[in-house]
Amino acid sequence: MDSLRLISKSIKIEGNPFGFSHQRNQIFLKSVAFFLLIGLAYRFIITDSTVSPVTNVQTLPPADPSGLTSIAQAQASVDSPVNITTIIPSQNVSTKCDIFIGNWVPDPSGPAYTNVSCRHIQDYQNCLKNGRPDVNYLQWRWQPRDCDLPRFDPEQFIDNMRNKWLAFIGDSISRNHVQSLICILSQVEEVEDIYHDKEYKSKIWRFPSYNFTLSVIWSPFLLQTETFENNVNGVDIQLHLDKLDQKWTDQYINFDYVVISGGKWFLKTTIFHENNTVTGCHYCQGKNNMTELGYLYSYRKALRLVLDFVAEPNHKAHVLFRTTTPDHFENGEWDSGGFCNRTMPFTESNEGEMKSEDVSMRDIELEEFYKTTKQEGSNSNIGLLDTTSMSLLRPDGHPGPYRYPNPFAGVKNKELNQVQNDCLHWCLPGPIDSWNDLMVEVMLNRERQRRE
């Protein structure tokens, strides 16, 4: 207030305010100036003495130019689905989004087909026809954590595949996948059967109006194999770790797109051959004094050979390498009373965990894949189709006991697990249908889906 007093003293009012007009004008102007100065002084005093009511304001760090958030310092258990990958893209960078990490969200619209509208479902995966009573497993879709994934558009896909050949190479999971794709595409046009082998394991189809050829090639090891009967466990599988299976390599030049994968067959008892010499085995239990090298040895050898072949610069096919598929057997395995009777997906934060075999196989897959794609001069048309995480979260999507029609007919107590369960393959329709959403995104919407 001392400032106000000084200001008021500096203004001298002279003469009678009711005197001459000139004096009145002077008095009026001085009065206006006086009040203006008082206002300015008051503003100065208040501003100088008032504290802002907003406290503890923190300055945000500058944005990361890479578009990626930092890697978490404390990592989850290696078996946890939370730890499938550790790099999490920021939500505002869709081009860097990892479409393979996310959750299953409710989708009341349901599947694109039914077991009635599609005639290509194998009996073992036709869960509804075989009497599965619940249908909730059909009402979920895959949602990546940090971006939107376009729904599979069968008309757009089949048009893009005009005059092309897409081949699936692998085991029965590959056959499961191709049947899912055919069921979706058959809503656009019915497919023609062109070829099948004696056991109906390898097949070729064609969509006539589009001249689009689709095939599945049965090659569970991807390598050259011979099978011989024995008196102990029924068969000996001879696996040549330095020779690819000509069943698919001889046709490879015809393919425009390839989805290729290894898998559970490497866990079987196998005898290894390299340079026409027996070098070891997996699970041979001391037979003929062979060296136990293990399934990880043969799996790495097989993937290295396969990836080197498809990466050759003269090979035109765009290749998607699909990762391992975890099973969901509980309280045993397929031959020891294991079952899968869950009716809801897992979430990232609860009990879903990969088995140690699946973790080890997937580690090898990623190591060999990135080793191939980072080699100088290698074919750039190799992409990763990482379905492991999304599959891990769907214990409810398997046939379970409903691989057979009415499996509990005549069974008094269902708790006794007297019926063999399938907890590896997928019901059709079912969660495997969403693999096609990822497949088309990697195959057609991006040159390459790579996490770096």
Side-chain angles (χ1 to χ4, degrees):
M1 295 304 294
D2 292 336
S3 299
L4 287 175
R5 294 191 186 97
L6 290 173
I7 293 171
S8 63
K9 287 181 179 179
S10 66
I11 301 176
K12 297 181 180 179
I13 303 176
E14 297 179 356
N16 187 347
F18 299 103
F20 300 105
S21 61
H22 178 72
Q23 291 180 330
R24 286 199 299 268
N25 289 339
Q26 286 185 336
I27 293 172
F28 173 75
L29 290 174
K30 291 180 179 180
S31 299
V32 171
F34 174 78
F35 286 111
L36 285 174
L37 290 172
I38 290 177
L40 289 173
Y42 179 79
R43 179 181 177 86
F44 172 78
I45 294 169
I46 295 299
T47 304
D48 216 32
S49 61
T50 304
V51 178
S52 172
V54 181
T55 58
N56 300 325
V57 176
Q58 298 180 351
T59 303
L60 294 176
D64 182 0
S66 70
L68 301 177
T69 60
S70 60
I71 301 175
Q73 297 297 319
Q75 296 185 357
S77 166
V78 70
D79 287 343
S80 169
V82 178
N83 197 41
I84 293 297
T85 56
T86 53
I87 299 179
I88 303 173
S90 61
Q91 294 196 15
N92 61 346
V93 186
S94 59
T95 57
K96 294 292 185 181
C97 173
D98 189 341
I99 61 174
F100 306 124
I101 298 300
N103 268 310
W104 293 89
V105 298
D107 180 18
S109 64
Y113 64 94
T114 69
N115 64 317
V116 176
S117 66
C118 180
R119 63 177 179 87
H120 303 281
I121 302 175
Q122 194 172 8
D123 288 341
Y124 291 138
Q125 280 92 55
N126 201 335
C127 302
L128 294 176
K129 181 181 177 181
N130 291 340
R132 179 166 175 170
D134 63 303
V135 295
N136 184 65
Y137 70 96
L138 299 173
Q139 298 178 328
W140 301 87
R141 64 178 177 85
W142 178 248
Q143 174 62 56
R145 181 185 297 167
D146 298 311
C147 58
D148 290 326
L149 180 66
R151 288 181 180 273
F152 184 89
D153 185 335
E155 293 187 5
Q156 183 182 42
F157 178 82
I158 200 171
D159 189 61
N160 285 325
M161 291 291 107
R162 191 181 296 273
N163 302 318
K164 303 295 184 182
W165 191 328
L166 167 60
F168 288 76
I169 304 170
D171 56 17
S172 55
I173 299 296
S174 293
R175 186 167 65 243
N176 200 177
H177 186 188
V178 77
Q179 288 170 351
S180 163
L181 178 61
I182 288 177
C183 282
I184 297 174
L185 296 180
S186 64
Q187 308 308 304
V188 178
E189 179 178 74
E190 189 54 63
V191 69
E192 294 179 347
D193 296 341
I194 302 299
Y195 163 84
H196 63 79
D197 62 7
K198 292 181 179 179
E199 298 177 331
Y200 286 80
K201 290 184 175 180
S202 295
K203 298 189 70 174
I204 301 176
W205 302 266
R206 182 170 292 126
F207 292 88
S209 297
Y210 299 87
N211 192 30
F212 168 40
T213 305
L214 186 60
S215 63
V216 60
I217 301 173
W218 172 257
S219 184
F221 289 104
L222 305 174
L223 303 175
Q224 180 179 320
T225 60
E226 291 98 25
T227 302
F228 303 98
E229 295 185 2
N230 63 49
N231 298 324
V232 180
N233 56 8
V235 294
D236 279 333
I237 300 176
Q238 311 291 322
L239 191 57
H240 295 265
L241 301 183
D242 53 359
K243 298 178 182 179
L244 292 171
D245 186 358
Q246 290 182 310
K247 191 185 301 181
W248 66 271
T249 58
D250 286 350
Q251 304 180 61
Y252 193 81
I253 193 173
N254 300 319
F255 305 146
D256 297 288
Y257 296 94
V258 172
V259 180
I260 194 166
S261 59
K264 302 290 187 182
W265 278 70
F266 285 84
L267 300 177
K268 293 178 176 288
T269 299
T270 44
I271 298 171
F272 305 151
H273 295 253
E274 297 176 75
N275 297 320
N276 298 317
T277 303
V278 174
T279 54
C281 60
H282 165 59
Y283 199 60
C284 49
Q285 299 172 312
K287 184 188 300 182
N288 300 327
N289 295 319
M290 286 185 287
T291 304
E292 174 67 39
L293 295 176
Y295 69 93
L296 296 179
Y297 176 83
S298 60
Y299 197 47
R300 188 181 293 277
K301 285 272 188 176
L303 294 187
R304 181 75 270 128
L305 200 62
V306 168
L307 290 169
D308 282 346
F309 176 83
V310 301
E312 291 179 9
N314 61 323
H315 286 156
K316 66 171 184 176
H318 186 119
V319 179
L320 302 187
F321 175 61
R322 180 177 59 76
T323 56
T324 191
T325 303
D327 65 71
H328 292 96
F329 286 100
E330 298 184 50
N331 297 328
E333 295 298 325
W334 69 271
D335 58 348
S336 59
F339 63 87
C340 45
N341 60 355
R342 296 182 183 269
T343 59
M344 292 287 288
F346 288 149
T347 65
E348 285 189 328
S349 60
N350 68 7
E351 67 269 38
E353 292 185 357
M354 283 209 295
K355 297 177 180 178
S356 59
E357 295 88 351
D358 293 326
V359 172
S360 298
M361 294 180 79
R362 186 171 181 277
D363 286 345
I364 289 176
E365 290 168 348
L366 296 182
E367 288 170 11
E368 296 303 321
F369 172 80
Y370 288 119
K371 187 186 299 183
T372 300
T373 56
K374 292 179 180 179
Q375 285 179 353
E376 185 176 353
S378 67
N379 192 330
S380 62
N381 292 330
I382 304 176
L384 185 68
L385 183 59
D386 190 353
T387 57
T388 302
S389 178
M390 66 186 301
S391 301
L392 176 64
L393 301 178
R394 291 307 302 271
D396 57 323
H398 303 290
Y402 297 99
R403 66 192 303 264
Y404 299 113
N406 304 313
F408 296 107
V411 178
K412 294 181 179 180
N413 189 354
K414 296 181 182 180
E415 300 297 327
L416 296 179
N417 299 321
Q418 297 178 12
V419 178
Q420 189 180 62
N421 279 236
D422 180 356
C423 305
L424 174 62
H425 299 91
W426 303 96
C427 292
L428 293 178
I432 196 172
D433 295 327
S434 289
W435 289 13
N436 297 304
D437 296 341
L438 274 66
M439 182 186 72
V440 71
E441 182 71 5
V442 179
M443 182 185 294
L444 299 178
N445 295 354
R446 305 179 183 197
E447 283 187 19
R448 228 175 354 181
Q449 173 67 34
R450 181 183 293 182
R451 291 170 299 175
E452 297 178 347

